[in-house]
């Protein structure tokens, strides 16, 4: 029973305490005066009566009523019903106030004008019950009695109100009256645990809508702050209560203030969650709250701040809840589209709708918490049940571990309350308990069908409604309301009187006395056992159990579990090989939950009496599987797998030595789960629960499987009936059970937290839990122990200090655990103290045992790892670091991993070797099925472009290893993970060595120079101080140049050219100085021979020998005879002005300049150009005599002076002007050299030009090039120049070179530089500005290209696909640009204009364009010699900065790798693809150069210019200087040598046409990705070091296998695309023929002639044949190839199948053939037939084993004979399985079959009749069958075949 009202108060306006117009309230009277013991008087009520503040108003306002909720100090909630009315105050009353106050009032004119003001007065009722309507009526009645002056004393009414007592629950009906002629009926709810909501929930949904309320619901459950706004106080209270009602069965335990007074608004900035209501009047104050969700009830909005993230209900529950709610609130929605809607589908009445909504939420909670009782651990039953919830297990079994919402709810305070309230197994139950236990199955089946859900909801709603309104027909209330006139006559109303305290108190005392004498009401508590519902496992039917952590459906296939079971069986049966094969599959399967559970169950079966002793290998495998299983467990272990493994890791062990055992736990400590306190707690509780259950099961015999909770409820029921002693005994038993478990767990925890090697403080590294670091070394099974024995010396003196540190942290961790669980499970203090003293001892003891184990484990022999294979090295290449065991991890290329079919070659295990030249990985695949293959990956150390550290998880040993990712510019990537045996400092040493080799101090440190010297003797050149200022640097340069002129030239001085960024700042100084130097030389205008000293003459003659000179002579650009007499009529001469490299450091010594220009002019001109690279001629068109010039771009000052006003008269000609005049002269001289100019002397007319243009010969990019002229729009020049192409008369734009005025010289310049220049109509040259690709662009593009072709990790992101990455790299676009410019220049040259390419510094893009132009225009450069010459002339002599661009030394490291030359080779490759018959060299030749130009194996591509090469003495190495003949210093010599041996570089389709000009297509769509970027040969590494290939084959031959007696084997091989070298495994036909010829000649003992001679012979015979046949052929080479195939057919090339020694036999065996063939005779047709027929499909008429006598003096042998009627032959094979036929007897040749006699050496013990003979035209075959019957069968079968024929 409870009082209806605890306190009654009258609160009025306090006139004495007004502050600045802000009034205050004050309690005028309160009844009772004394506090009740059971409910203290709440403080601060006067604030809540007027939440917006106490104010006086000029007009009377209507009376108001609302209920606030107050929370007292015991966190009990009280309803505080306030009834407020307004009373008039006279001015006289106000005057009494302090004068200062009156002044305040004067300022409020509103108040002063009115004669009367009104003050609020409140009647307040405080109660612990919640009957809003009853309170409204009671307070209304008191007011009515006062206003209408009813004849009832107010004291009586109030006394009755305060003494009214009603039951709390039980569904009774109570009529009450306050003695003023009133009557009210109060219905108490049936079950007080269910909230009473009236219609507040339905109202809330109406105000805010479904989605908004769901947001608030989730926010409240996940502990966010919620604020309601409304201008109505009662609505605020209703909304807050409605929100609480739908949270049932969870109870809200934070701040709950439905109406917050304005004075307390600072409460809103509290950090804790809350649900608070505030009047909209204070809306502005709520704006700056950052983390509060604001729900505006009047506006129907919910505002969620940006920083707040609300976790919503998990799908599909959220969707289903929304559907159900909308069906309740808006039933018409479903049928809104129906053609014939039902007549009435009104929603239920508000009260009913309210219950339906609550029913939906009950249904929702039943789904969320279904099965929660199965995750409760009961850890004490007596004296009081103690219950814990196992959150991880609950989430795991519900497959909701990733669900944010549920995680937060289970962690929240509300759920903790839920567990402590609903956990006990023996208590009163309610609607929710019933629902979650008995209706789960129904909910699960119906959840997808909204109609059925609705029916269920309606049933629940009915129960809820009945709970609130047990008696539907309620007797009439009778409540008096104030009369109309009393409300109107408010003026003469007297104030509310003071009440008589004594009278009221008498009522109260009287009632209290009555209560004491009344007999106590005994209400039987209906306690019962709480049902648990179906276990979690059964709830989740269907597919759902196969959803793993990430929500991926994993096929829970029985096959996987089978694999796991088999593997474990093999391990325990000691079938280790079988187990090893299954291992990878098992480790993959263990990613799934089912397989992991299966593993724990299987292992359990092998444990006997808590122990399972294994041998080393078994132990290793079991540990590996355990590690794999644990690795995928999260730290909360939601599937209980770590929990299941915990007993196993302390059971499995191996014997290490005398009395020393190592347990599995020492090898599985790496995992997070062991450091998680929650895990240990839940483990401990579940163990305690099972022990306590056992405790009570013993006492009651024959108990079936009863769950611990059921047992507990039974015990609780019996508890009151037990005697005191029995009770005490049970308490004591339970307590000691918990205590013993705590000791057990202290031991277990020390097992898993103390590392095997206690000198390494591992898991609890930073005090207690901390950030857990893993050190891979704790996985010390015998595999590593061996290699670590030396490095960790247990005898070291520091060990104790270290280990005590580990011990301390472990002790601290265990102590924290013990404190927590023992306090929760009620262990006595004495016991707890005892535990604390025991723990350090336990830990110390365990450390001692571990030391012994650790010592012993190091003595174990290491597990056999794969043997490390040594790589083959080049002559002169030496190992810098010995093998380091590593794993090669697969990268983004999927070919080798087996994902695209084929064998999984990666990951592989082996070693990495660092040599002076390369980085080599060699090893074998980890997959045992491909184990015998060898995997090699290598690249030259000089090509390393990026190295970064990575951490890798190896698939087999579940550990994170440190690794490196190395990327090379030869398109290779190595991802390696160091093995555990490699100490980390060793890996560091490896990196340092690698860096040293990659970036030597000086070029002389590169492999090309150090080759052959001992690796240790690499000379480190001292570099000068890096920060030397530029000024001194430039001085030094100039000094050295001056000295050089006076001294013998070839001095070995180190020269480092300033980087080009610095050149501009140097330029001015360099200019002045260098000019003076050059003047010096020229003043003494001596002849060449007199200036050069004798020693330098040697050099000069070398210069003359140089390639360039030969080429200049070939092109007719001048000769350099000894007498130096030049024929004056030639337009050009070879100038020696740069012989000392003083004019331009980066140019060659000899240059072609116009005849008419003296050397002095050159000195002046060169200053206008960057790097002094002035224009020189490098090629001349032999037909049009147009020349191609190259230079650098002009200096900025030069450009303007040159183009703007060449002839402007100036008063004093400045230096700049004079040079620009000289420049003009220079260009004019070039133009005059052109025959077309001298012929037409002056302007070229169109007619004078067309003749040359029309005769352009040339070939377009494909054979269908007929319409190609129109396709190639020749105004590319103008287009590139950014001009609009001129269109006269609106017709089509004419070709650039068909314009009337064709320039004689086109200057291709950089658009950016030529901005200011205007075209002068009188000049005979024209500038074509183009945009060139910057070096930086090339660098970045190349990086992206490498990432596209060799990605570091595979990705499924469509934006990272190969094509997308390739496009992003823009590499193809750059190629297109270079090719486009080159084709333009070719066009111009071909039409008779000269071209000067003058871009950037003249050594990158210029070089590319100039070389490509010559390659396209001149067929000579498409031969071996020509291409070599082209590269030597344009790239090497003209100073492309190979060392700088390739970042070959420490100095150029910062500039990065920029493959300008590779880009050029790629362009050549594109042209080669379009014109395959025009090149003498093959694609392989280009790849070879691309590889070796970065490999630093040869000196050819080192250094930046001829000057530097001379300085180092590299350029002209004496011919006799060949100390190490096998070491080739020049790549060209190497190619020559190789080319003599093998046709690998030769292009068989080469058949050039004379004077052919190529014009390739340049659009990106015509370009192909070069396969050099993509291909890889894992069997031998890159194929560009040929010595290695030869050596590998030799090694293979030197280890012959056992002599094979069984005859030749099948020659079939599987060729794997990324493993085998295709050109070797499947050579092209011609190479194959040439090889066969060579091997045949060798067999016949002839000296084999060189392949080239053979080839040339064949070609000449072909040519003569074609001439004789004189068929019209449009290209001899096509015919050539067709004839080849014809010839190949006639030369029986069937040798391929034969073994080594059998080609000659073949010729003897087969019939003499009539055709005369150059090779061995042709085989008979039937043999050919059988080659293409597999034995499977043969028609075998009869088959079996027969003994056959061999030829003369050969023994009898059993063979498998097959009689084939279809082919009419008798074939025999080695064995039945063999596919290769050993021989054939043609039945056509057989004359007779007769019984035979045994001859010498015939098989023993066989009857005589089993022999028979077969006589053919050539010989007699003797056979022997197994018995006579068999022999008869054979003879008959053969006979029948013969007669059939």
């Amino acid at each position: 029973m409870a009082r209806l009202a605890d306190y009654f108060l009258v609160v009025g306006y306090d006139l004495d305490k007004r502050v600045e117009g802000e009034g205050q309230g004050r309690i005028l009277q309160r009844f009772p005066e004394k506090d009740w013991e059971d409910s203290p008087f709440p403080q601060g009520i006067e604030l809540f009566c007027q939440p917006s503040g106490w104010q006086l108003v000029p007009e009377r306002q209507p009376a108001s009523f609302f209920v606030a909720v107050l929370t007292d100090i015991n966190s009990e909630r009280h309803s505080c019903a306030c009834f407020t009315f307004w009373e008039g105050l006279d001015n006289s009353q106000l005057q009494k106030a302090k004068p200062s106050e009156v002044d305040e009032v004067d300022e409020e004119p509103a108040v002063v004008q009115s004669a009367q003001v009104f003050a609020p007065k409140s009647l307040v009722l405080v109660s612990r019950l919640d009957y809003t309507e009853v309170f409204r009526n009671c307070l209304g009645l008191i007011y009515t009695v006062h206003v209408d002056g009813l004849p009832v004393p107010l004291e009586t009414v109030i006394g009755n109100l305060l003494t009214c007592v009603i039951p709390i629950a039980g569904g009774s009906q109570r009529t009450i009256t306050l003695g003023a002629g009133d009557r009210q009926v109060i219905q108490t709810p049936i079950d007080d645990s269910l909230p009473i909501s009236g219609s507040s929930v339905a109202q809330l949904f109406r105000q805010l809508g479904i989605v908004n309320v769901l947001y608030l619901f989730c926010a409240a459950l996940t502990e966010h702050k919620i604020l309601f706004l409304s201008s109505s106080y009662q609505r605020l209270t209703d909304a807050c209560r409605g929100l609480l009602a739908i949270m049932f069965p969870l109870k809200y335990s934070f701040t709950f203030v439905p109406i917050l007074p304005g004075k307390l608004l600072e409460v809103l900035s509290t950090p804790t969650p809350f649900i608070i209501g505030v009047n909209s009047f204070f809306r502005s104050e709520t704006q700056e709250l950052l983390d509060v969700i604001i729900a505006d009830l009047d506006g129907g909005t919910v505002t969620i701040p940006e920083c707040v993230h609300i976790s919503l209900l998990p799908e599909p529950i959220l969707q289903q809840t929304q559907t159900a709610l909308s069906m309740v609130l808006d039933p018409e929605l479903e049928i809104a589209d129906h053609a014939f809607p039902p007549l009435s589908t009104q929603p239920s009445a508000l009260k009913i709708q309210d219950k339906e909504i609550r029913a939906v939420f009950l249904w929702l909670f039943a789904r969320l918490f279904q099965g929660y009782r199965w995750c409760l651990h009961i850890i004490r039953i007596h004296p009081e049940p103690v219950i814990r919830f196992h959150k991880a297990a609950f989430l795991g079994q519900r497959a909701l571990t990733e669900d944010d919402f549920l995680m937060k709810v289970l962690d929240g305070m509300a759920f903790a309350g839920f567990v402590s309230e609903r956990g006990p197994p023996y208590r009163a139950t309610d609607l929710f308990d019933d629902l979650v236990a008995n209706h789960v199955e129904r909910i699960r089946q119906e959840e997808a069908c909204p109609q059925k859900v609705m029916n269920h909801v309606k049933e629940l709603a009915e129960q809820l409604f009945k709970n609130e309104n047990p008696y539907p027909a309620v007797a009439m209330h009778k409540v008096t309301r104030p009369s109309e006139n009393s409300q109107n006559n408010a003026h003469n109303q007297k104030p509310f009187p003071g009440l008589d305290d004594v009278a009221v108190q008498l009522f109260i005392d009287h009632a209290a006395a009555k209560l004491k004498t009344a007999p106590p009401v005994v209400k039987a508590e209906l306690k019962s056992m709480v049902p648990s519902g179906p276990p979690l496992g059964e709830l989740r039917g269907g597919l759902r159990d196969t959803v793993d952590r990430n929500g991926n459906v994993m096929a829970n296939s029985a096959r996987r579990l089978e694999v796991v079971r088999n593997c474990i069986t093999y391990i325990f049966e000691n079938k280790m090989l079988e187990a090893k094969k299954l291992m990878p599959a098992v480790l993959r399967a263990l990613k799934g939950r089912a397989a992991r559970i299966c593993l724990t169950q299987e292992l359990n079966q092998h444990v006997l009496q808590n122990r399972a002793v294994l041998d080393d290998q078994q132990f290793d495998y079991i540990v590996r599987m355990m590690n794999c299983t644990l690795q995928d467990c999260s730290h909360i272990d939601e599937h209980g797998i770590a929990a299941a493994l915990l007993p196993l890791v302390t059971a499995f062990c191996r014997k290490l030595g005398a009395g020393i055992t190592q347990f599995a736990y020492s090898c599985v400590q790496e995992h997070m789960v062991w450091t998680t306190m929650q895990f240990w707690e839940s483990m401990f509780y579940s163990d305690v629960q099972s022990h306590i259950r056992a405790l009570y099961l013993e006492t009651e015999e024959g108990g079936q499987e009863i769950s611990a909770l059921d047992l507990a409820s039974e015990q609780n029921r019996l508890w009151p009936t037990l005697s005191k002693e029995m009770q005490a005994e049970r308490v004591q038993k339970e307590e000691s059970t918990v205590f013993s478990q705590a000791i057990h767990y202290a031991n277990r925890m020390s097992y898993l937290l103390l590392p095997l090697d206690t000198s390494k403080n591992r898991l609890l590294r930073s005090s207690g839990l901390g950030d857990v670091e893993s050190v891979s070394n704790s996985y010390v099974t015998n595999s590593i122990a061996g290699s670590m024995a030396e490095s960790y010396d247990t005898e070291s003196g520091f060990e104790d200090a270290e280990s005590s540190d580990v011990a301390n942290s472990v002790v601290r961790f265990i102590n924290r655990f013990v404190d927590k669980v023992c306090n929760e499970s009620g262990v006595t203090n004495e016991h707890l103290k005892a535990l604390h003293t025991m723990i350090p001892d336990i830990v110390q003891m365990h450390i001692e045992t571990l030391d012994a184990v650790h010592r012993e484990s190091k003595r174990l022999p290491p597990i056999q790892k794969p043997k490390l294979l040594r790589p083959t090295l080049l002559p002169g290449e030496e190992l810098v670091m010995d093998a380091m065991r590593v794993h090669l991890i697969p990268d983004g290329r999927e070919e080798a991993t087996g994902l695209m079919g084929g064998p999984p070659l990666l990951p592989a295990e082996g070693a990495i070797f660092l040599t002076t030249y390369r980085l080599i990985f060699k090893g074998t695949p980890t997959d045992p099925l491909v184990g015998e293959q060898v995997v090699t990956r290598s690249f030259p150390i000089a090509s390393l472009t990026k190295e970064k550290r990575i951490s890798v998880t190896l698939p087999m040993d579940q550990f994170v290893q440190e690794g490196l990712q190395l990327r090379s510019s030869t398109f290779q990537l190595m991802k390696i993970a160091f093995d555990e045996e490699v100490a980390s400092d060793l890996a560091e040493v490896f990196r340092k060595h690698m860096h040293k080799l990659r970036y030597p101090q000086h070029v002389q440190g590169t492999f090309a120079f150090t080759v052959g010297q001992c690796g240790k003797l690499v000379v480190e050149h001292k570099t000068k101080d890096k920060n030397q200022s530029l000024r001194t640097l430039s001085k030094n340069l100039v000094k050295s140049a001056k000295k050089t002129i006076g001294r013998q030239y070839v001095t070995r001085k180190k020269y480092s050219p300033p980087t080009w960024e610095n050149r501009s700042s140097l330029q001015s100084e360099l200019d002045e100085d260098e000019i003076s130097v050059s003047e010096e030389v020229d003043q003494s205008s001596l002849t060449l021979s007199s200036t050069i000293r004798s020693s330098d003459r040697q050099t000069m003659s070398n210069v003359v020998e140089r390639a360039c000179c030969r080429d200049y002579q070939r092109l007719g650009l001048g000769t350099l005879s000894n007498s130096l007499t030049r024929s004056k009529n030639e337009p050009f001469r070879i100038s020696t002005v740069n012989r000392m490299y003083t004019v331009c450091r980066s140019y060659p010594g000899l240059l072609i300049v116009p005849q008419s220009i003296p050397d002095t002019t050159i000195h002046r001109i060169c200053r206008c150009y960057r790097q002094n690279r002035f224009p020189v001629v490098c090629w001349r068109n032999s037909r049009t005599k147009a020349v191609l010039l190259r230079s650098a771009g002009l200096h900025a000052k030069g450009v303007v002076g040159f183009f703007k006003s060449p002839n402007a008269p100036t008063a004093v000609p400045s230096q700049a002007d004079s040079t620009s005049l000289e420049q003009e002269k220079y260009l004019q001289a070039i133009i005059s050299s052109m025959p077309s100019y001298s012929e037409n002397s002056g302007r070229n007319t169109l007619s004078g030009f067309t003749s040359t243009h029309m005769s352009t010969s040339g070939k377009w990019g494909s054979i269908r090039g007929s319409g190609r002229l129109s396709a190639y729009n020749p105004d590319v020049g103008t287009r590139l120049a950014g001009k609009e192409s001129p269109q006269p008369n609106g017709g089509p734009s004419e070709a650039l070179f068909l314009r009337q005025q064709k320039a004689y010289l086109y200057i291709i310049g950089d658009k950016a530089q030529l901005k200011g220049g205007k075209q002068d109509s009188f000049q005979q040259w024209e500038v074509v500005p183009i945009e060139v690709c910057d070096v930086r662009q090339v660098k970045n593009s190349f990086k992206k290209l490498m990432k596209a072709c060799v990605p570091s990790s595979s990705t499924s992101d469509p934006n990272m696909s190969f094509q997308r990455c390739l496009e992003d790299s823009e590499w193809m676009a750059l190629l297109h640009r270079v090719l486009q410019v080159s084709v333009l220049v070719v066009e111009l040259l071909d039409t008779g204009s000269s071209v000067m390419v003058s871009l950037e510094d003249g050594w990158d893009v210029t070089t590319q364009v100039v070389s490509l132009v010559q390659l396209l225009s001149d067929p000579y450069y498409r031969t071996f010699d020509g291409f070599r010459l082209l590269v030597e002339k344009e790239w090497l002599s003209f100073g492309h900065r190979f060392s700088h661009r390739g970042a070959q030394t420490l100095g150029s490291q910062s500039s990065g790798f920029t493959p300008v030359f590779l880009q050029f080779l790629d362009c050549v490759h594109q042209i080669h693809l379009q014109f395959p018959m025009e090149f003498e060299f093959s694609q392989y030749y280009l790849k070879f150069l691309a590889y070796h130009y970065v490999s630093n194996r040869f000196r050819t591509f080192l250094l930046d210019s001829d000057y530097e090469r001379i300085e180092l003495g590299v350029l002209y190495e004496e011919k006799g200087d060949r100390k190490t003949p096998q070491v080739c210093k020049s790549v060209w010599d190497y190619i020559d040598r190789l080319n003599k041996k093998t046709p690998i570089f030769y292009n068989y389709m080469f058949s050039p046409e004379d004077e052919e000009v190529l014009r390739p297509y340049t659009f990106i769509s015509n370009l192909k990705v070069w396969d050099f970027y993509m291909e890889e040969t894992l069997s031998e590494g890159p194929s560009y070091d040929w010595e290695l290939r030869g050596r590998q084959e030799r090694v293979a031959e030197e280890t012959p296998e056992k002599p094979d007696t069984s005859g030749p084997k099948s020659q079939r091989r599987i060729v794997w695309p990324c493993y085998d070298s295709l050109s070797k495994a499947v050579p092209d036909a011609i190479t194959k023929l040439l090889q066969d010829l060579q091997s045949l000649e060798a067999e016949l003992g002839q000296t084999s002639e060189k392949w080239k001679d053979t080839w040339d012979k064949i070609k000449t015979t072909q040519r003569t044949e074609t001439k004789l046949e004189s068929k019209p052929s449009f290209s001899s080479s096509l015919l050539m190839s067709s004839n080849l195939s014809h010839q190949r057919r006639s030369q029986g090339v069937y040798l391929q199948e034969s073994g080594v020694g059998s080609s000659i036999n073949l010729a003897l065996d087969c019939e003499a053939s009539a055709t005369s063939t150059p090779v061995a005779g042709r085989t008979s047709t039937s043999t050919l037939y059988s080659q293409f027929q597999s034995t499977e499909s043969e028609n075998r008429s009869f088959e079996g084993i027969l003994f056959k006598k061999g030829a003369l003096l050969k023994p009898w042998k059993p063979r498998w004979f097959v009689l084939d009627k279809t082919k009419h032959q008798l074939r025999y094979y080695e064995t039945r399985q063999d596919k290769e036929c050993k021989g054939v007897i043609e039945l056509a040749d057989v004359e007779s079959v007769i019984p035979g006699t045994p001859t010498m050496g015939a098989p023993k013990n066989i009857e005589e009749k089993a022999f028979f003979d077969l006589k053919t035209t050539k010989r007699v075959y003797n056979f022997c069958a197994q018995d006579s019957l068999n022999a008869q069968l054979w003879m008959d079968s053969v006979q029948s075949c013969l007669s059939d024929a």
Side-chain angles (χ1 to χ4, degrees), residues 1477 1551 1553 1673-1680:
M1477 292 166 158
S1551 57
E1553 298 192 7
S1673 74
F1674 83 116
S1675 156
S1676 60
S1677 71
L1678 280 186
L1679 187 75
M1680 166 88 196

Side-chain angles (χ1 to χ4, degrees), residues 91 145 423 568 816 1041 1341 1356 1580 1604 1640:
N91 271 342
V145 169
I568 293 174
R816 271 173 37 213
S1341 167
S1356 51
E1580 52 184 28
D1604 205 358
L1640 280 171

Side-chain angles (χ1 to χ4, degrees), residues 1055-1074:
Y1055 159 62
S1056 50
T1059 53
W1060 60 272
E1061 293 90 340
N1062 307 338
R1063 300 253 165 157
S1064 48
S1065 59
L1066 287 176
Q1067 201 61 49
S1068 52
E1069 296 171 23
L1070 280 175
D1071 281 354
E1072 293 154 21
D1073 269 353
E1074 285 203 13

Side-chain angles (χ1 to χ4, degrees), residues 1048 1089-1101:
Q1048 171 192 355
S1089 50
S1090 61
T1091 27
I1092 302 178
R1093 301 204 183 164
S1094 57
S1095 59
D1096 290 353
R1097 284 205 187 104
Q1098 173 69 47
T1099 311
M1100 266 330 282
S1101 62

Side-chain angles (χ1 to χ4, degrees), residues 1785-1786 1789-1792 1814-1821:
I1785 302 169
E1786 293 291 342
D1789 303 341
V1790 175
E1791 293 174 352
S1792 62
L1814 192 73
K1815 194 170 176 217
T1816 68
T1817 47
K1818 293 194 191 132
R1819 60 174 271 197
V1820 176
Y1821 291 90

